Amino acid sequence: MGKILDNAYKYQSLTYKYFLYLVSVALIVFFFPKGGKFKYEFQKGKPWQYENLYAPIDFSIKKSDIEIADEKQSLRNNKTDYYTANVSISEGVKADFQREFQNTFTTNNYTSRQRQRLLTAGLSVIDSLYKSGIFEDLPEANTNILVKNNEATQLTLNDFLTLDLAKQMVSPMLAKKNVSSLNELVNLVQRSLRANVFYNESLTEKALLEELGKISYTRGEVSAGRLIIAKGEVVEAENFKMLKSLKEEYESELWQGNNYYFIILGYTILVALVLVMLFLFLKRYRNEIFKNNNKVTFIFFNILVMVLATTLMVKNNESYVFVVPLCILPLVLKNFFDARLGLFVHVLTVLILGFVVPNSFEYIFLQIIAGIVTILTASELYKRANLFISVGQITLIYIIGYFAFHAIHEGNLDNIEWMLFGIFVLNGLLTLFAQPLIYIYEKMFGLISDVSLLELSDTNSKLLKELSNKAPGTFHHSLQVANLAEAAANEIGANAMLVRVGALYHDIGKMDRPTFFTENQVTNVNPHDDLPPRESAKIIIDHVIKGIEIARKNNIPDRVIDFLRTHHGTTSVYYFYKKQQEIEANVEEDDFRYPGPIPFSKETAILMMADAVEAASKSLKNPTFLMIDEFVEKIVKGQMQANQFLNANITLKEIEVVKKILKQKLTNIYHLRVEYPE
């Protein structure tokens, strides 16, 4: 049992990677749209590269989304408007007219015969006006139907009578009846009239929906065995529609029965192969990342986020697939790791998405080109303008690529989908979200970016300000080391910003007891004179531990703390070791040795060299070119002989370059000049 637990503990890192790999493959396949994959690739305007294709099944030729949308719009433009007549209103109008008539045309002024004649004429006019009805509004559609007493009657434009028009017709209609007292009667009839025909929106909409439901989504049938396209024939409008319809029908039928399991198996194998390539790349070329499960998880997490976002977009509306800002992936990975890894992961992610996106060749081509542009242009993201410039170039690449593909497919620049330009611009705007996303990832995964390094390098920050106040000599030493190390890192292609920040913080532990370090002693009084060498050595060695404690309290990132841990490696405090030997014969050198670890990267190795050289250079008196050259060679050679660079991925050639830069910088610091002959 104990052996099993030991093996489990020993291989826990590898076990976690296997688990992460299996979960990632399962999730990606689960995200994929549920459908088979047509085995032929074709593009409009290009020749058919396969053998003659005959219809394997009966299928319908489907209309395009644009054709269906045009048909629907045509129905909406020519829809039938329904109006409803309220019969009770016309009866009420006649009742109101008769009541007012009795008050207006009294028996004192008119005879019974006159009054009857006028009343009959008025009612006759009202009946005539309400024969079709008086409409509230003028119609908008060409076809109109009046529903009256549950009977529908089709109307022409001449049948429409609005309230204003009805009032204008009263006078001539009464004049034709030759009645006297015309003005009083005209006014009375006009006052009584009210609209009784109203637009029925619900009935109109119901009828429109019925018409829309009758639209056919196909334009004919293709029987099995019919030749669809011959080898070498150009894929044009008609056969393109047949091929597209066959593809949709084939993929929908393929995802049935036992085929389901074989399709899942196929997707699983392909996705598994892609992710194996990623593991092999990390193992062979980025072993330090491969060993760090946190970083591996970060990379896989980003791949899963991009696959999920893209597949969701494909499922909901594939026309907006380019809205997903896929270039955030190489942008973020380059920021935290390097350009080569960022591009490699981007290409693998695009290959995975090529299984599910429409027009996969176009998509893969555009996304890979955009990813390359991202890698080439996005640098120093802590400078805000750089991100905007890079995003602008990415957007331009998308637009130019779309123009090129459109010209190939259509043979002209007609029917350009201008909406896609808006999609590309939106993609660019979403890519700008990389900046806050980097900050979020820093907190989630404990990583560090150039933006954070720039903030940490500010000498007005709280911790560096405290260092300059408590240990001004150490602060000045740290600045000098930062300048030396940054110059050396730039020369060999290391992370100069990281080295500079590590150099600024590497001696913060000296704040605890600053006067015990030579650079902070302003008088000739040395506190070590009153202490045994062993205790003095312990104080010197403890500044590493104290520095790590101070850094953790101030939330300094682990990558910066690595410089505090390694800047002395496992070297010894040689001065106090020798003094202790003068007191006692048998002295263990390990008691005077720093706890380590030794440097494990180019950056930490550079800092060790720069720190030792700068600190020891203070002992030089009247330095010359030769003296500086021998001095630097001696210090670095001693570190190499002590095996301090065994774990650092720095070559002998790079060490020689670092030494050359250190010599040049020290020469500048001491203002050495060439001695001219007398």
Side-chain angles (χ1 to χ4, degrees), residues 307-524:
V307 171
L308 173 61
T310 305
T311 51
L312 284 177
M313 188 61 72
V314 170
K315 289 177 183 178
N316 288 284
N317 192 335
E318 63 182 29
S319 301
Y320 293 93
V321 68
F322 279 102
V323 168
V324 180
L326 203 63
C327 287
I328 281 184
L329 184 60
L331 204 61
V332 168
L333 294 180
K334 181 184 178 183
N335 186 78
F336 286 115
F337 305 115
D338 61 86
R340 189 177 177 187
L341 176 61
L343 182 59
F344 190 82
V345 173
H346 176 73
V347 170
L348 292 183
T349 306
V350 171
L351 289 177
I352 291 174
L353 294 175
F355 298 143
V356 296
V357 295
N359 300 319
S360 56
F361 174 78
E362 296 177 21
Y363 181 85
I364 292 173
F365 182 90
L366 283 177
Q367 294 292 11
I368 290 179
I369 293 296
I372 293 172
V373 170
T374 303
I375 292 297
L376 294 177
T377 60
S379 61
E380 299 179 328
L381 292 184
Y382 55 85
K383 298 178 181 177
R384 289 172 294 181
N386 288 3
L387 180 59
F388 283 93
I389 293 170
S390 180
V391 167
Q393 292 171 328
I394 294 167
T395 305
L396 184 62
I397 285 296
Y398 280 131
I399 292 173
I400 293 173
Y402 167 71
F403 264 118
F405 279 113
H406 183 83
I408 292 171
H409 294 164
E410 302 295 335
N412 54 56
L413 295 180
D414 298 335
N415 303 319
I416 289 178
E417 296 182 37
W418 297 102
M419 183 187 70
L420 277 174
F421 295 142
I423 290 175
F424 294 143
V425 171
L426 181 58
N427 179 291
L429 293 175
L430 291 175
T431 305
L432 292 174
F433 187 67
Q435 195 73 279
L437 191 62
I438 287 170
Y439 176 79
I440 294 170
Y441 281 153
E442 285 181 335
K443 302 305 177 186
M444 285 176 60
F445 293 92
L447 302 171
I448 186 169
S449 68
D450 285 349
V451 179
S452 294
L453 290 175
L454 184 66
E455 293 173 355
L456 289 169
S457 67
D458 183 7
T459 54
N460 288 317
S461 64
K462 179 185 175 183
L463 194 54
L464 292 180
K465 201 77 173 175
E466 186 180 356
L467 177 64
S468 67
N469 291 330
K470 290 183 177 180
T474 300
F475 178 71
H476 183 264
H477 159 72
S478 298
L479 287 176
Q480 294 281 49
V481 174
N483 292 331
L484 292 173
E486 183 179 21
N490 278 323
E491 198 67 24
I492 67 170
N495 190 332
M497 179 71 75
L498 179 61
V499 172
R500 180 173 184 81
V501 173
L504 289 173
Y505 288 88
H506 79 283
D507 270 343
I508 56 174
K510 292 180 179 180
M511 286 192 297
D512 188 53
R513 305 176 82 171
T515 57
F516 283 85
F517 298 90
T518 310
E519 67 267 22
N520 298 313
Q521 294 170 1
V522 294
T523 66
N524 292 328

Side-chain angles (χ1 to χ4, degrees), residues 83 135 138-144 154-162 165:
Y83 291 84
F135 292 77
L138 283 173
E140 295 181 358
N142 294 324
T143 307
N144 304 280
Q154 189 162 347
L155 302 173
T156 63
L157 291 176
N158 294 330
D159 295 321
F160 282 90
L161 193 63
T162 62
L165 184 58

